Amino acid sequence: KAGVTQTPRYLIKTRGQQVTLSCSPISGHRSVSWYQQTPGQGLQFLFEYFSETQRNKGNFPGRFSGRQFSNSRSEMNVSTLELGDSALYLCASGGTGQNEQFFGPGTRLTVL
Amino acid sequence: GQQLNQSPQSMFIQEGEDVSMNCTSSSIFNTWLWYKQEPGEGPVLLIALYKAGELTSNGRLTAQFGITRKDSFLNISASIPSDVGIYFCAGQLSGSARQLTFGSGTQLTVLP
């Protein structure tokens, strides 16, 4: 079974721009969660989608948004980028059984 | 928000030694997950725990779900150089869908 894939792996943007990141979960998994990882704050939950519906949202500003498509692929968007948005963005894929979650390799976003 | 206290923050051990790390919380979790992350990669799931008191092994790794449901520990026996990495605990609250709360990580260094 193929693992979780995320594209792109690396991105460099400037302040004020927007960015879209993509995540394809493990085949058959319908839950996709997004996390932000920074040295200062660690791993923090952004949001979770299940069957195209956002089920849960973390404590991030409205500039962070996401969606999920019918094939379970998910995208997250960050608008009006700030320097503090530089981070590793990870998505996690979950099945319908136990609560295990499997992470992709992440997208490293650098905001200049 | 919820917090997980993970300790120790870092460990330097000799190859062949056993390692122990733990996480505690003021909240009750219904799932505990342990991950390992290496540079430039996403976290890799090592062990998942679903019931209070559960003790689960995965090769040289053993983890337990605390009886109070507020803590968990991970042991690594007979450490080897490839055990180097950052180990994270993650807990999931009941009713939080797939939202994980992460510990701050334990950086493990194995000296030859």
Side-chain angles (χ1 to χ4, degrees):
Chain A
K1 234 183 198 182
V4 181
T5 58
Q6 291 188 245
T7 57
R9 291 294 308 274
Y10 302 92
L11 264 180
I12 299 176
K13 293 285 188 179
T14 56
R15 277 182 301 174
Q17 287 187 309
Q18 74 165 20
V19 67
T20 299
L21 314 181
S22 179
C23 171
S24 292
I26 293 169
S27 178
H29 283 191
R30 291 159 64 190
S31 166
V32 174
S33 299
W34 289 89
Y35 292 82
Q36 181 195 65
Q37 186 175 30
T38 59
Q41 300 297 318
L43 279 144
Q44 292 189 293
F45 173 79
L46 280 156
F47 29 65
E48 187 227 352
Y49 287 86
F50 182 86
S51 294
E52 302 177 66
T53 300
Q54 187 182 88
R55 285 206 297 194
N56 212 349
K57 190 177 190 317
N59 189 25
F60 278 82
R63 300 185 296 106
F64 292 82
S65 63
R67 59 177 176 168
Q68 186 179 33
F69 302 95
S70 58
N71 62 357
S72 294
R73 188 177 71 85
S74 176
E75 289 180 347
M76 68 162 280
N77 184 77
V78 188
S79 62
T80 320
L81 284 166
E82 300 176 0
L83 296 179
D85 297 333
S86 294
L88 181 66
Y89 289 89
L90 295 157
C91 87
S93 166
T96 53
Q98 300 275 43
N99 292 331
E100 297 170 341
Q101 292 190 55
F102 302 91
F103 282 85
T107 294
R108 172 71 63 185
L109 172 64
T110 301
V111 181
L112 302 176
Chain B
Q2 307 300 331
Q3 280 194 326
L4 286 183
N5 298 309
Q6 184 171 353
S7 64
Q9 209 168 12
S10 62
M11 299 183 77
F12 292 81
I13 62 168
Q14 294 291 133
E15 186 176 352
E17 288 183 346
D18 297 345
V19 171
S20 185
M21 58 193 79
N22 69 85
C23 280
T24 60
S25 172
S26 57
S27 301
I28 292 175
F29 290 100
N30 67 354
T31 299
W32 283 95
L33 306 173
W34 283 92
Y35 290 89
K36 178 188 177 185
Q37 187 175 26
E38 297 184 45
E41 300 296 329
V44 174
L45 182 63
L46 300 172
I47 292 180
L49 303 159
Y50 300 106
K51 292 192 300 189
E54 180 181 357
L55 186 71
T56 298
S57 293
N58 177 8
R60 295 178 297 104
L61 277 60
T62 301
Q64 185 157 29
F65 193 140
I67 291 292
T68 64
R69 297 172 64 191
K70 293 182 180 181
D71 62 318
S72 178
F73 73 75
L74 174 71
N75 285 344
I76 305 173
S77 63
S79 58
I80 59 178
S82 62
D83 290 334
V84 167
I86 303 177
Y87 291 79
F88 291 98
C89 62
Q92 183 175 320
L93 296 167
S94 176
S96 66
R98 294 298 179 101
Q99 178 174 350
L100 294 177
T101 300
F102 279 84
S104 54
T106 296
Q107 171 75 61
L108 179 64
T109 302
V110 180
L111 305 170

